[in-house]
Amino acid sequence: MKDMLPETLEEKIDRLIATIARLAPREPEATDLAAADCFVWSAEAGRLEPVHRVNRVEIALIRGVDRVRDILDDNTRRFAAGLPANNALLWGARGMGKSSLVKAVHAAINRDLAEGEPPLKLIEIHREDIDTLPKLLSILKSAPFRFVLFCDDLSFDHDDTSYKSLKAALEGGVEGRPDNVIFYATSNRRHLLPRDMIDNERSTAINPGEAVEEKVSLSDRFGLWLGFHKCSQDEYLEMIDGYVRHYGLETDPEALRSEALEWATTRGSRSGRVAWQFVQDLAGRMGRRLDA
């Protein structure tokens, strides 16, 4: 008989609250930062996703960028040891190992750690999630680890204002960058902004100098500017020789040189990426696997 009675207002409110609670997104689970040495920031879920197998190459196989390799390695080791270090912008030619170098340096440092030392953590944040950087930093600042925050292929287009969030998070905000976080980014653009965007600001602003200054000041937040330039033919061949020796691919040196140069010619460029693509093709034709 009771079931046939109309609901009271209080019962309707309770049922509405229960329905809303089921529809509301759950609080993200806390990430176990000891579960892996590398993570990807999932902005939508508000959590860090562990990466147990990182796509990277040995640091010894990255050729033609010896000077910037040593600078980045030294900067990162100082940071891992708790010493002062700079944010780094790796900019320049495509395929010359910018992102590979960041991942290789991270692996080399962790491999050299003394027993009992906490590992350095690498966290990748996607370009489109830069505006959630403050949220990520709030998670990391109280963690008992040191973090290299890495954004690959970072750049900003017209009418994109998310670069302001990055500026504030790196150096300009009230709280600033946490002591246990350093930011590394790769880009094809030295100032992260399109050249025509900077030129347009200069030509249309009342005070051109101030307009351009506001735009390029983002790159000034990076204490290290490491330039990657197109490699020479000798450097390109040296990269291939390094891969061939590392993976034990036995082939005639003259034939290897001829095929490698032809490969680069058909692609219209020489770079570390082109060298790796040639080695993959070579190994496939030889019926060999490229296991680390």
Side-chain angles (χ1 to χ4, degrees), residues 155-217:
S155 62
F156 299 94
D157 295 319
H158 301 275
D159 303 322
D160 187 345
T161 60
S162 60
Y163 73 90
K164 295 182 179 180
S165 298
L166 179 56
K167 284 174 61 177
L170 290 179
E171 300 291 351
V174 173
E175 192 170 15
R177 172 171 56 89
D179 292 338
N180 65 334
V181 176
I182 200 168
F183 191 86
Y184 288 176
T186 70
S187 179
N188 295 331
R189 301 168 178 169
R190 185 173 184 177
H191 290 294
L192 302 174
L193 303 169
R195 171 55 56 187
D196 62 339
M197 183 177 177
I198 296 175
D199 290 342
N200 183 64
E201 292 286 351
R202 181 181 287 113
S203 63
T204 60
I206 296 175
N207 189 326
E210 289 183 0
V212 174
E213 186 72 19
E214 203 276 332
K215 295 294 184 183
V216 302
S217 63

Side-chain angles (χ1 to χ4, degrees), residues 68-121:
V68 294
R69 177 201 63 203
D70 293 344
I71 292 173
L72 187 70
D73 182 74
D74 180 64
N75 189 70
T76 313
R77 288 181 186 275
R78 282 191 276 113
F79 170 73
L83 298 172
N86 279 303
N87 300 315
L89 173 62
L90 291 71
W91 67 274
R94 302 188 310 273
M96 281 304 296
K98 297 185 292 294
S99 60
S100 295
L101 183 58
V102 172
K103 292 181 284 187
V105 164
H106 168 254
I109 290 173
N110 279 346
R111 186 169 55 242
D112 295 342
L113 287 175
E115 186 175 354
E117 286 188 275
L120 180 65
K121 304 292 182 177

